[in-house]
Amino acid sequence: MIKPFRIDIPQADLDDLATRLVRIRWPDELPDAGWDYGIPLHRVKALAEHWRTSYDWREHEALLNQHAHFTTTIDGQHLHFLHQRSPEPDALPLILTHGWPGSFVEFLDVIGPLTDPRAHGGDPAQAFHLVIPSIPGFGLSGPTLQRGWDVHRIARAWAELMHRLGYDHYGAQGGDWGAAISRALGATAPDHVVGVHLNFLPTPPPPGAVPELSTADLARLDRTRHYLAHRPGYHVLQSTHPQTLAYALTDSPAGQLAWIAEKFTEWSDPASSISDDRLLTNVMLYWLTATAGSSARIYHDSPAGPLPCPTPIGVAVFAHDIILPVRPIAERTYHVTHWSEFDSGGHFPALETPTTFVDDVRAFFHDLR
């Protein structure tokens, strides 16, 4: 059963947060440390002060509730999603999947242009019906109640969700974990998924001989090798001890804020302008639902390794992402029919460069409708 849903956080939860923000116990910091040891103290203090004195959750809650929210239960798990239908009757259904440390908030600026291009100066033939779930364990779909919510299980849940919504043929799009889930969805429901658009695609060095690569591709491959050999601390902790980490992040708003804000800064284009309010709304979805730990479990439960996908693949490469894919290696595994390179944007392109993101999604699915 699918039920309409409205976000309505109890005032007691907001009062508790306000009290905690007043009583933050700050760590020390080495002089001139910069980013060498993590996100600087002055940045977190500034964000926390804005959170405490200026940020208005009720205002942003009302903005979120302007969209059509729903809940359902699939495979025993409570699931939240947005379902925004296009006014164009022949629109292509498209499921958008976020990653960590993101949420459905990443897609707020692209909902209008994708569902109603006519109202945004676009071609109505390029319209989409959008389904935007919160990943099990994340925010309003959390916490998970069982082990094993890996990308394959999530993909099966997505296929069931689209079936319940009456969509037989649809596209998928994702970045970060959303990219892995979208590829798994293409493999799970190849007769229903017309294509998968990705804005993140790791291409680790393949076994055996590496195809002839350009200098730029060799540099990307070296960057990927270095990333895989020196996995960041957040990745190690979330994939090995998510429960231990959860105590600190669930009890301290400053801890949850710093954990997420660091990644939004490091993984974004330095020239992008993600507002502090949008960042804090994203943080609030983790804080208010106490899902720091359950959202990290996907790192623990999802197996490493390639994710074959038989559907057409479109790849949008944004210059400031964590790692950049190598096309000749990607084409060894995937049926790549669309590849775009952009000089701007990072790991959160729907937030950072929404117009570019929308244009590329439209371009990939143009011939797949």
Side-chain angles (χ1 to χ4, degrees):
M1 181 182 296
I2 293 174
K3 301 178 181 179
F5 174 75
R6 184 174 178 82
I7 305 172
D8 186 13
I9 298 300
Q11 185 60 41
D13 292 351
L14 302 181
D15 293 342
D16 173 72
L17 172 60
T19 299
R20 291 170 183 266
L21 288 172
V22 170
R23 295 173 56 83
I24 294 173
R25 185 181 182 216
W26 293 107
D28 74 319
E29 182 179 53
L30 292 174
D32 303 318
W35 281 81
D36 292 347
Y37 293 84
I39 188 168
L41 181 60
H42 71 85
R43 174 58 174 153
V44 184
K45 279 189 170 182
L47 281 170
E49 182 65 9
H50 178 65
W51 199 3
R52 185 182 70 83
T53 62
S54 304
Y55 177 82
D56 184 349
W57 165 256
R58 292 302 186 199
E59 174 188 341
H60 293 279
E61 184 181 66
L63 291 173
L64 297 181
N65 280 325
Q66 290 179 3
H67 301 286
H69 297 256
F70 299 87
T71 61
T72 191
T73 300
I74 297 178
D75 194 10
Q77 176 63 37
H78 168 82
L79 183 67
H80 159 267
F81 63 98
L82 276 67
H83 184 202
Q84 205 74 33
R85 289 187 60 84
S86 171
E88 307 297 338
D90 296 328
L92 176 69
L94 177 65
I95 185 166
L96 300 171
T97 308
H98 64 87
W100 184 91
S103 67
F104 69 87
V105 167
E106 291 182 50
F107 300 112
L108 293 180
D109 293 336
V110 303
I111 291 175
L114 287 175
T115 58
D116 194 3
R118 187 191 303 268
H120 292 81
D123 181 356
Q126 297 296 312
F128 297 89
H129 300 306
L130 293 184
V131 179
I132 311 176
S134 297
I135 296 174
F138 287 65
L140 299 170
S141 283
T144 43
L145 305 176
Q146 299 173 326
R147 293 173 178 259
W149 275 98
D150 64 3
V151 295
H152 301 288
R153 188 174 181 181
I154 297 167
R156 293 193 295 271
W158 275 200
E160 172 62 21
L161 174 62
M162 298 302 274
H163 173 72
R164 291 186 187 183
L165 293 172
Y167 294 137
D168 185 63
H169 288 83
Y170 50 89
Q173 197 287 326
D176 195 85
W177 282 110
I181 293 165
S182 296
R183 282 176 283 153
L185 177 58
T188 296
D191 294 334
H192 302 282
V193 178
V194 300
V196 173
H197 182 275
L198 308 171
N199 58 268
F200 183 67
L201 180 61
T203 50
V210 177
E212 185 174 342
L213 300 176
S214 68
T215 301
D217 281 342
L218 288 171
R220 290 184 178 186
L221 194 58
D222 284 343
R223 182 174 169 182
T224 300
R225 285 195 184 99
H226 184 271
Y227 181 89
L228 294 174
H230 305 88
R231 290 192 181 273
Y234 86 92
H235 194 288
V236 174
L237 281 172
Q238 296 194 160
S239 61
T240 58
H241 297 91
Q243 185 65 30
T244 305
L245 175 66
Y247 298 110
L249 301 188
T250 306
D251 190 56
S252 168
Q256 181 68 93
L257 174 62
W259 196 247
I260 290 178
E262 178 182 83
K263 298 312 168 197
F264 268 81
T265 304
E266 290 182 337
W267 296 349
S268 298
D269 183 341
S272 39
S273 54
I274 300 173
S275 71
D276 288 348
D277 274 13
R278 186 59 59 84
L279 170 61
L280 288 170
T281 299
N282 184 74
V283 171
M284 285 289 271
L285 289 173
Y286 286 81
W287 174 260
L288 294 170
T289 57
T291 52
S294 60
S295 64
R297 288 198 281 265
I298 192 172
Y299 287 83
H300 183 280
D301 292 348
S302 292
L307 284 168
C309 179
T311 72
I313 295 285
V315 182
V317 183
F318 292 88
H320 298 274
D321 208 341
I322 306 169
I323 52 176
L324 304 180
V326 176
R327 183 169 186 170
I329 295 177
E331 290 175 337
R332 283 188 162 195
T333 303
Y334 302 106
H335 176 42
V336 178
T337 62
H338 173 91
W339 188 282
S340 300
E341 301 265 350
F342 300 104
D343 294 333
S344 61
H347 199 59
F348 310 97
L351 262 177
E352 299 176 62
T353 56
T355 300
T356 303
F357 176 89
V358 166
D359 288 346
D360 203 69
V361 169
R362 288 173 178 166
F364 170 63
F365 285 106
H366 181 271
D367 296 325
L368 297 174
R369 293 173 175 269

